Amino acid sequence: MVVLTNPSSIPEQLSSSGADVIPVIDLSNPDAKTLLVKACEELGFFKVVGHGVPFEIISRLETEANKFFSLPLFQKEKAGPPDPFGYGNRSLGPNGDVGWIEYLMFTTNPDFHYHKFESVLGENLITFRSALSDYLSAVKRMACEILEVLADGLKIQPRNTLSKMLMDKDSDSVFRLNHYPPAPAAPAAVKKELIGFGEHTDPQIISVLRSNNICGLEISSKDGSWISVPPDQCSFFINVGDSLQVMTNGRFKSVKHRVLIGNSKKSRVSMVYFVGPPLSEKIAPLPWLMKEEQDSLYNEFTWFEYKTSAYKSRLADNRLCLFEKIIII
Ligand code: GA4
């Protein structure tokens, strides 16, 4: 199936290279806290270097992902359909969205039962699980550090105010392995706008993305133009999600992003850790960030309520507007 954008919208969708505009933050830099806050306010997106995650851990999981995605379709389908965990192909979410993608979704809960994968992976399940679990632990540690440095930058105390939602045993974080196959043979003009993952914002707190060196990710800038993100297989990219936008009362921007399939003959493989709070967590502006008499822009809700509402929406919908306060002047 070929997924095309509406041709009439192509002129506004031209993208520019983000090489100069995407902040690159070294976590070991003493100024990291100030730079993180600035990046979250201005773009809602940044690249992390000096993160301390060994490349060996990343490449082991990439190898396992490649092995899985190169299996015949009928085998992979045994691990699907996603409920929302498991294998998915073309279809994204429960409401009719599609993309040029296949993927695996997992909870990050270490007790996750892999029975859906047993018959597909056979003996390789042990290697797969070990690569996945090492990756999740390393990235969780890094995400925790980022959230603590962010809390420092925002002058929030204690510094685990944000990270405790990730470290909580009931944290509702999820992980996805995406495989974007090369575009099918088609005239160049058609291939140009093949959508891998349509535009959307992430509902969670932050998302931690790593991909191989194939381009395709684009983020939306303040003026609505698309910025293409030069891939970097050694770094992580972080985007602000809807929940962090609410917790900062709109100061941080939940960044709209999408994946387009270019002309590469190679697949794009990405791994995304979506940092989610426990289901019962109240998502509301953090009191430290509210000036006297400042009103919340949002009605209070729990992560469970937001997630439930998100799963009823289409990918490109603005999910936060349902929770915005109507202010009568
Ligand atoms: C977007 C961010 C994450 O990939 C995700 C996606 C989820 C899914 O693929 O099941 C959703 C999408 C995402 C938001 C709206 C709903 C749910 C697909 C969709 C159409 C795993 C998530 O948490 O929300």
Side-chain angles (χ1 to χ4, degrees):
M1 184 195 304
V2 175
V3 188
L4 297 168
T5 52
N6 174 357
S8 64
S9 62
I10 289 174
E12 288 138 33
Q13 304 224 334
L14 292 177
S15 57
S16 60
S17 167
D20 307 328
V21 278
I22 293 163
V24 180
I25 302 175
D26 186 333
L27 275 189
S28 60
N29 178 339
D31 287 339
K33 60 179 182 189
T34 316
L35 299 172
L36 282 182
V37 169
K38 192 165 174 265
C40 292
E41 287 173 342
E42 289 179 356
L43 208 55
F45 189 84
F46 56 91
K47 170 165 144 173
V48 175
V49 296
H51 48 70
V53 178
F55 192 72
E56 181 262 336
I57 288 189
I58 301 171
S59 70
R60 260 173 60 218
L61 183 58
E62 190 174 320
T63 304
E64 292 309 311
N66 285 333
K67 272 199 249 168
F68 177 87
F69 290 122
S70 56
L71 291 170
L73 183 60
F74 79 92
Q75 289 270 47
K76 293 183 281 194
E77 279 177 338
K78 288 183 192 162
D83 60 0
F85 304 118
Y87 174 74
N89 191 321
R90 304 285 183 266
S91 167
L92 287 163
N95 305 311
D97 289 290
V98 288
W100 190 255
I101 185 174
E102 57 176 342
Y103 57 92
L104 282 171
M105 287 273 302
F106 304 92
T107 74
T108 57
N109 181 338
D111 304 328
F112 179 55
H113 286 290
Y114 282 77
H115 43 254
K116 262 189 172 178
F117 297 88
E118 270 158 19
S119 63
V120 189
L121 292 169
E123 283 178 7
N124 203 33
L125 181 62
I126 297 169
T127 333
F128 187 96
R129 273 193 82 149
S130 136
L132 180 61
S133 127
D134 290 351
Y135 183 90
L136 292 180
S137 313
V139 170
K140 184 175 181 182
R141 212 173 307 129
M142 178 190 60
C144 176
E145 192 188 340
I146 292 172
L147 291 174
E148 295 188 350
V149 177
L150 255 182
D152 291 343
L154 287 168
K155 301 191 176 65
I156 293 174
Q157 277 190 337
R159 74 189 297 259
N160 73 347
T161 301
L162 294 168
S163 67
K164 69 175 194 263
M165 294 183 243
L166 162 65
M167 300 315 272
D168 193 304
K169 68 171 185 16
D170 294 325
S171 155
D172 184 39
S173 297
V174 293
F175 181 67
R176 84 185 293 154
L177 283 173
N178 294 319
H179 175 231
Y180 301 93
V190 174
K191 270 208 274 191
K192 206 170 153 237
E193 287 297 317
L194 185 63
I195 297 280
F197 206 122
E199 63 177 77
H200 66 285
T201 61
D202 293 344
Q204 291 83 358
I205 303 173
I206 55 168
S207 312
V208 182
L209 170 119
R210 185 269 169 190
S211 80
N212 64 358
N213 264 349
I214 305 298
C215 51
L217 176 65
E218 297 191 346
I219 57 167
S220 169
S221 67
K222 269 191 185 152
D223 67 12
S225 62
W226 288 101
I227 303 170
S228 74
V229 178
D232 177 352
Q233 59 179 1
C234 299
S235 305
F236 290 91
F237 292 91
I238 311 295
N239 64 258
V240 170
D242 299 344
S243 298
L244 190 55
Q245 176 169 323
V246 174
M247 289 174 196
T248 58
N249 205 27
R251 183 167 157 192
F252 287 2
K253 298 283 166 271
S254 173
V255 65
K256 210 194 277 176
H257 52 287
R258 65 179 184 180
V259 175
L260 297 185
I261 308 296
N263 294 322
S264 170
K265 298 263 181 305
K266 285 198 184 152
S267 295
R268 179 170 193 272
V269 175
S270 68
M271 346 181 141
V272 198
Y273 192 122
F274 300 94
V275 175
L279 290 172
S280 59
E281 188 78 32
K282 282 202 181 106
I283 311 296
L286 296 162
W288 300 267
L289 304 179
M290 299 294 275
K291 300 202 183 79
E292 238 175 88
E293 310 212 353
Q294 191 183 350
D295 276 331
S296 168
L297 298 175
Y298 307 93
N299 295 312
E300 208 175 83
F301 54 87
T302 63
W303 169 242
F304 173 78
E305 286 164 332
Y306 194 61
K307 188 177 166 176
T308 309
S309 151
Y311 272 88
K312 289 184 186 145
S313 68
R314 295 293 299 262
L315 204 52
D317 288 348
N318 177 340
R319 282 171 274 284
L320 269 183
C321 68
L322 292 176
F323 296 86
E324 277 166 10
K325 264 193 188 156
I326 300 165
I327 298 169
I328 301 157
I329 313 168

